[in-house]
Amino acid sequence: MSKHQKQADDEIHEDQLLNFLVNSLDEEVVLGLGNNAEIDPEDILEVLVGACADGTSISELCETSENSPHENTVLYHLREKFDLASVEQVGNALLQKDVLEILPKQVEVCADLHLRPYYGNEDETAGLYHSEAKRGTTAFHAYATLYARVKNKRYTLAVRRLVDGDTTSSVLAEFLGLLDGLDLSVKAVYLDREFYDSKCLTLLHAHNYAYVMPIVRWGKTIKQELSEGWSRVIQHELTGKLDGHSWTVEFPVYIDCTYQKGRYNEHGVARHGYAADAPFIETPRDARYHYAKRFGIEASYRLSEQSIATTTTQNPVVRLLYVVVSLLLQNVWRYLHWEYVATPRRGGRRLWSWSFEEFINMLCRAAWTALAVRRAVPANRPPDDRFHR
């Protein structure tokens, strides 16, 4: 009897996974190689996917491969054939491709900021995003991402790079405009505390989206509310100013109180405030429960760190391209897992075990085979008996 239960008649092999990704990239990415070029766009994209899956640099992968183009050739095309606007546009098209087909008509969406620390020369931080000190630095390669959440599965719909001068309200305005153009019904928008300001709240009201986000303890009034009493709902307001004009936005705040019971060595009552305006939220406990769904975003960042090409370049185009491919790998894995690996059955598909780590390993082995990665090293003497079994 087979060790594993037979779940389907067909199979997807490692080389087919690599083909799927390279073909997806090739349909959207235009490298514009000359007629006399000795390599094809697929050769460059194969190296790009392989480096991300392997978590190594393009230089390292090309140096140890026999069938890959020269590293300088690959890096030249990645640096010179793209600009930030085109990478963002093509990246969003790639991320939404196939995914929109399997999303239900109504989804929950999350927007978040992802800061990758920069530890280089302080005189070379032009074009980076500066924020409060975190992990020993105030300069970051920063990206804003928009996710759709469906039954604990997260699909990236858009990503954009952040620089000094970008605000959370400008990012949110762009993402809400993107959502308006998609054939999706948004159940609610979940935001991090960085989006808690009058402009973001005004945008959410203007687009008529339900939302949940934690509040920031600004001002004596809200500090007093969060220092006493038990779970309750209050009305709060923030005043915004822009070009000499001011306005006030009013919204409900759900204050949820729980006993800490020694968690994180803390005792007493913990009070959490959430700015929320959604028909399915009636109590403070509802606000806390639904906002907790957003924490899965951190898992997407951890997976992204496992599947991104390493680099020391400060070129923002190349770095953004690596981030796009890293997020694309997660989308493709979830899409293939649902559409091809899961077994259709009455009552819902059966999701068979296929972890992201296994998917990445399969993709990495396929790239090694296609690029003929070195499997032996020169030796100045023949191996003795210790090398044989």
Side-chain angles (χ1 to χ4, degrees):
M1 184 176 178
S2 174
K3 179 181 177 181
H4 300 286
Q5 180 182 354
K6 186 176 178 62
Q7 62 189 64
D9 296 327
D10 295 307
E11 295 178 328
I12 299 178
H13 295 274
E14 296 172 347
D15 58 323
Q16 293 173 319
L17 291 178
L18 181 61
N19 292 341
F20 185 93
L21 275 157
V22 172
N23 291 336
S24 297
L25 287 167
D26 191 41
E27 290 177 5
E28 299 291 340
V29 176
V30 180
L31 290 174
L33 302 183
N35 295 329
N36 298 325
E38 297 180 356
I39 61 174
D40 297 324
E42 291 85 352
D43 297 328
I44 297 176
L45 299 177
E46 206 168 51
V47 173
L48 176 60
V49 173
C52 286
D54 195 16
T56 188
S57 67
I58 284 180
S59 298
E60 176 70 18
L61 184 59
C62 291
E63 184 179 347
T64 57
S65 304
E66 295 182 4
N67 293 344
S68 70
H70 193 275
E71 59 187 84
N72 291 339
T73 302
V74 177
L75 292 173
Y76 168 79
H77 288 291
L78 295 183
R79 291 168 181 159
E80 302 299 328
K81 299 300 176 67
F82 297 103
D83 56 54
L84 282 173
S86 64
V87 171
E88 286 187 5
Q89 182 179 359
V90 170
N92 292 346
L94 282 167
L95 293 171
Q96 296 168 25
K97 185 179 180 180
D98 296 325
V99 165
L100 294 179
E101 298 178 6
I102 62 175
L103 289 180
K105 287 297 182 181
Q106 187 178 64
V107 298
E108 296 172 313
V109 299
C110 311
D112 198 20
L113 308 183
H114 182 41
L115 307 182
R116 301 175 63 90
Y118 170 76
Y119 298 111
N121 193 327
E122 294 182 358
D123 297 329
E124 299 178 1
T125 58
L128 298 182
Y129 182 79
H130 289 80
S131 182
E132 296 181 358
K134 183 179 180 181
R135 299 183 187 178
T137 182
T138 58
F140 304 89
H141 297 284
Y143 306 93
T145 48
L146 179 69
Y147 294 86
R149 180 189 176 278
V150 182
K151 295 182 180 179
N152 294 324
K153 295 186 291 292
R154 293 162 301 281
Y155 300 91
T156 309
L157 299 178
V159 60
R160 60 159 292 184
R161 178 175 175 267
L162 300 179
V163 296
D164 280 343
D166 285 331
T167 62
T168 53
S169 58
S170 64
V171 170
L172 184 61
E174 182 176 330
F175 283 165
L176 294 182
L178 186 149
L179 288 174
D180 290 342
L182 299 178
D183 187 20
L184 291 173
S185 173
V186 177
K187 179 180 179 182
V189 179
Y190 298 94
L191 302 170
D192 203 359
R193 64 180 68 250
E194 286 91 346
F195 292 88
Y196 177 72
D197 62 35
S198 57
K199 295 178 183 177
C200 290
L201 288 165
T202 301
L203 282 169
L204 291 165
H205 290 166
H207 286 264
N208 197 29
Y209 282 130
Y211 62 87
V212 185
M213 74 177 81
I215 65 172
V216 180
R217 300 184 179 218
W218 288 337
K220 294 182 180 180
T221 301
I222 202 64
K223 287 182 180 179
Q224 182 68 25
E225 293 286 354
L226 291 175
S227 64
E228 61 185 16
W230 197 243
S231 298
R232 62 198 184 277
V233 183
I234 64 172
Q235 289 296 122
H236 190 56
E237 61 183 31
L238 289 177
T239 300
K241 295 182 179 180
L242 181 66
D243 297 333
H245 301 282
S246 63
W247 73 95
T248 300
V249 56
E250 186 175 355
F251 54 93
V253 172
Y254 292 76
I255 301 176
D256 180 65
C257 303
T258 58
Y259 288 111
Q260 299 188 79
K261 299 180 181 180
R263 189 180 185 187
Y264 305 122
N265 294 322
E266 298 287 344
H267 296 273
V269 178
R271 297 177 177 84
H272 306 276
Y274 301 92
D277 189 0
F280 52 86
I281 293 181
E282 299 179 352
T283 66
R285 187 55 50 89
D286 290 339
R288 184 183 180 191
Y289 167 77
H290 285 283
Y291 183 73
K293 299 176 182 179
R294 181 203 157 275
F295 294 142
I297 290 179
E298 309 303 330
S300 294
Y301 291 150
R302 288 194 295 271
L303 295 182
S304 176
E305 294 297 329
Q306 299 176 22
S307 58
I308 190 168
T310 58
T311 182
T312 58
T313 182
Q314 296 304 308
N315 189 309
V317 176
V318 174
R319 283 187 167 272
L320 178 59
L321 186 60
Y322 289 172
V323 171
V324 168
V325 174
S326 175
L327 295 173
L328 177 64
L329 293 182
Q330 294 185 50
N331 276 12
V332 168
W333 166 61
R334 292 190 175 99
Y335 169 74
L336 295 178
H337 198 178
W338 181 256
E339 280 291 290
Y340 288 87
V341 179
T343 303
R345 62 177 181 175
R346 181 179 297 178
R349 301 191 179 202
R350 178 174 181 177
L351 280 176
W352 297 87
S353 177
W354 190 35
S355 66
F356 182 69
E357 183 178 1
E358 183 180 1
F359 167 76
I360 288 299
N361 289 337
M362 294 175 66
L363 200 58
C364 185
R365 289 193 298 266
W368 284 0
T369 301
L371 299 173
V373 171
R374 186 173 62 194
R375 304 297 177 93
V377 294
N380 59 15
R381 55 188 292 187
D384 56 34
D385 293 341
R386 292 173 296 175
F387 291 84
H388 303 283
R389 291 195 297 173

